[in-house]
Amino acid sequence: MARVTQRRRVRRLTAEGAVRERADVLAGEEPLEVRVGGRSFSVTMRTPGDDFDLAVGFLHGEGVVSSWDDVDQIDYRSGIGSDGLRDYNIVDVRLAEGVAPPDPSLERHVYTSSSCGVCGTASIESVRRTGHHDLGRDRARLRLADLLALPDRLRESQAVFDRTGGVHAAGLFVPGAEGPGLDLVCLREDVGRHNAVDKVVGWALRERGMPLPGAVLQVSGRASFELVQKAALAGIPVLSAVSAPSSLAVELAEEVGLTLVGFNRGRSLNVYTGGERVLVVEA
């Protein structure tokens, strides 16, 4: 049975020569096969949990679905694991009537690792073709202080990281319902940073629809091309990362009108594109 965390015995060694046996909690990592209409589309390594949102968010990033209305049914395909229990590692998504199935050439016949989400199928050209949201029209304005607070707010809500120290996180922040500021509406954790984002996107697709005007996607790691791609396709105008962006991420963000923030460590940050959305002084 798929588990979010697992306990293992470890031997802890110190420079002073101390040796101690103790229990450690590890982040779960298991394969998830995503099927579309019963046909295998991709296999990714993920931390179990929020698998339906992960599958739909992933398919959204691949251009297979554009709204929750494109999904007719989603469920697990029964199987028995090596432990004799039901296996929850296959999710099948049935598309709504009239929604075209994915191009067979896009199917991934190899495993997608937990650190790679694009793996040969995506490009800037594909983002141009499948993007439905004009981020340039999003007039969001964000106070610098609110952006700087996001990494700490994300970290404070990371329950799995607290137990394992071994997962990435993505959080969706939207304009406050009562006055200025940003509200955290969805946080997901996973061994794969792209999986954490797919889980957030799948949730947003189901609960809020898209685009997401004024929203910020805060991630715990670096800002790669794939994360900019996923944010842009979801209509999220701002992506903020704790670490550095790649050159291709900056290029794509600039092209699609997304505000890209890197090295957001709570005291300072770098704005690589879309700086007009960040207000240094309070409005």
Side-chain angles (χ1 to χ4, degrees), residues 30 48 61 67 126 163 177 214 221 232 258 274 278:
E30 298 186 20
S67 74
S126 71
R163 298 171 63 192
L258 180 141
V278 181

Side-chain angles (χ1 to χ4, degrees), residues 202-221:
W203 175 89
L205 200 71
R206 173 170 51 84
E207 294 291 333
R208 287 181 170 256
M210 294 174 179
L212 294 159
V216 181
L217 180 65
Q218 175 68 49
V219 297
S220 61

Side-chain angles (χ1 to χ4, degrees), residues 67 69 79 132 134 164 230 232 239 247:
S67 74
D69 291 338
H132 299 287
D134 184 359
T164 67
K230 292 175 185 297
L239 171 62
S247 60

